[in-house]
Amino acid sequence: MSQNQPPARIIEASPWHPSIERLRSTLVAGSWALLEIARGAYADWKDQLPSPKEDLALRVEILAFFLHVSSRHAQRTGQVTRSEFLELLRPPMARDLIRAAWDSQPENPFQGQGIVQQWQVAQVMQQMREADATYAACREIAGQAINSTDHVVGRFVRRVFQALETLPSVEVARQMGHSTLDIITRIRLPALVQSAASRLNGHR
């Protein structure tokens, strides 16, 4: 097996089983919902939308957050480790993120440049790994103090505004935190992760 070839268990898990694809598409939908909330907060603060660079940084941070929270729920099922879960979902979702970012531009400067696209995906994956490591230092996903950076959600909110180079008010940060938890609840993330983890466990 070459170094670039994924483990056999992951090969067996693709093409995507419906439960895994459902989780993947729901994470994308949740990410878009959070992206719109962050864009709105930024627009209210600076009276303009984020730049393309800031917008891409937002997308990376939000997706990394969702993947981290999902991987925590996956590990709690006892059916799959965090690393196994991330190995499966992070690469294709990084590719999806890059394609979506390019598709949102009037002209795609990288059209047909496969090497450049691969480099971009590698960069995004590295940024997502770094974000995941930062969130991993938190003991809990959320706590009573929604803005506390001791919890994943509070740290995520701080990192979102750092990516936008914006200093929000305490109230705006609190609203962003509650909106984040609300989206996690509305998309029924724990249940979706449980189903996907069961599928992955069956491919051991």
Side-chain angles (χ1 to χ4, degrees), residues 39-180:
R39 284 171 171 169
Y42 183 89
D44 289 343
W45 184 263
K46 291 196 172 181
D47 198 29
Q48 63 184 24
L49 291 174
S51 68
K53 181 180 179 180
E54 291 169 330
D55 203 69
L56 180 58
L58 263 182
R59 293 172 192 240
V60 173
E61 191 64 44
I62 291 171
L63 194 54
F65 165 77
F66 267 118
L67 284 173
H68 176 83
V69 172
S70 298
S71 70
R72 283 198 177 209
H73 283 295
Q75 185 166 358
R76 288 174 183 174
T77 68
Q79 297 176 314
V80 63
T81 66
R82 278 207 336 111
S83 60
E84 288 173 329
F85 187 87
L86 291 171
E87 274 181 13
L88 176 69
L89 286 176
R90 187 187 283 139
M93 295 192 77
R95 290 192 292 270
D96 289 346
L97 186 151
I98 288 296
R99 282 195 293 266
W102 287 358
D103 290 346
S104 67
Q105 301 301 314
E107 295 183 4
N108 181 352
F110 305 116
Q111 186 67 40
Q113 298 187 30
I115 294 177
V116 174
Q117 184 176 0
Q118 290 173 17
W119 178 83
Q120 289 276 344
V121 169
Q123 290 290 102
V124 166
M125 286 182 60
Q126 180 58 33
Q127 292 169 27
M128 291 167 70
R129 289 189 193 96
E130 291 170 358
D132 181 76
T134 298
Y135 294 132
C138 301
R139 290 189 175 183
E140 301 292 338
I141 293 175
Q144 290 185 338
I146 194 69
N147 288 346
S148 172
T149 55
D150 291 336
H151 304 116
V152 176
V153 170
R155 189 165 297 193
F156 163 69
V157 171
R158 185 181 70 175
R159 287 175 62 86
V160 161
F161 288 105
Q162 284 177 337
L164 292 173
E165 299 182 357
T166 302
L167 181 63
S169 66
V170 173
E171 183 57 31
V172 168
R174 185 179 295 114
Q175 289 175 359
M176 181 74 183
H178 283 298
S179 295
T180 300

